[in-house]
Amino acid sequence: MKKNKVIIAVGVLLFVFAIILGALDLYRMTSYEHVDSMLRISYRKGAGKKAHVSYEYQGVKYEDKVLSAYNAFTMKDGKSYTVLIDPDAPEKPYTTSFALDLMILAGGVASIYAGRKKE
């Protein structure tokens, strides 16, 4: 019985975390500026792949800025990629992570379902 409550609690935490991340992504998509950039993918053994972007915002060029997330499905080396720019911090480009949000949400729902199913 205690084990089920722990599984449900973990599921609820994952669910809430996914909702917060999704809300943050939606906020950035609606309030930040969308800027086209040129994408470069780098690979380091042990560190995996990283996405770097170069873009121009309000007449200033920003070169080789690292994105916080890499998505192999949407990010292709040498291609154009839209980044989200906070006008107050244009040197920090953002990208959405809806795939990660959905995976965390699915893990939370699965944990809640698994914990409730055994009761």
Side-chain angles (χ1 to χ4, degrees):
M1 208 45 110
K2 248 185 178 181
K3 188 176 182 182
N4 290 354
K5 289 182 181 183
V6 170
I7 292 171
I8 292 171
V10 167
V12 169
L13 286 173
L14 287 172
F15 184 86
V16 170
F17 185 61
I19 297 299
I20 291 169
L21 286 178
L24 183 59
D25 279 342
L26 285 173
Y27 168 77
R28 286 179 177 155
M29 280 191 72
T30 58
S31 63
Y32 287 9
E33 294 194 40
H34 295 232
V35 175
D36 286 330
S37 69
M38 190 54 92
L39 191 66
R40 182 179 67 83
I41 307 299
S42 67
Y43 176 78
R44 280 193 184 169
K45 193 172 184 174
K49 292 185 178 182
K50 288 195 181 246
H52 305 257
V53 291
S54 296
Y55 55 94
E56 186 174 328
Y57 179 72
Q58 294 185 343
V60 178
K61 289 186 179 186
Y62 297 90
E63 300 287 333
D64 206 34
K65 297 293 181 179
V66 178
L67 292 174
S68 59
Y70 168 72
N71 182 331
F73 296 109
T74 60
M75 296 178 175
K76 302 297 179 199
D77 194 35
K79 300 290 183 179
S80 178
Y81 187 77
T82 301
V83 291
L84 305 173
I85 303 297
D86 178 356
D88 295 330
E91 71 283 353
K92 290 178 63 180
Y94 291 93
T95 184
T96 58
S97 59
F98 287 119
L100 178 62
D101 301 346
L102 288 174
M103 287 189 306
I104 294 170
L105 183 67
V109 169
S111 294
I112 292 168
Y113 179 76
R116 292 184 50 94
K117 188 174 182 182
K118 295 181 180 184
E119 285 184 2

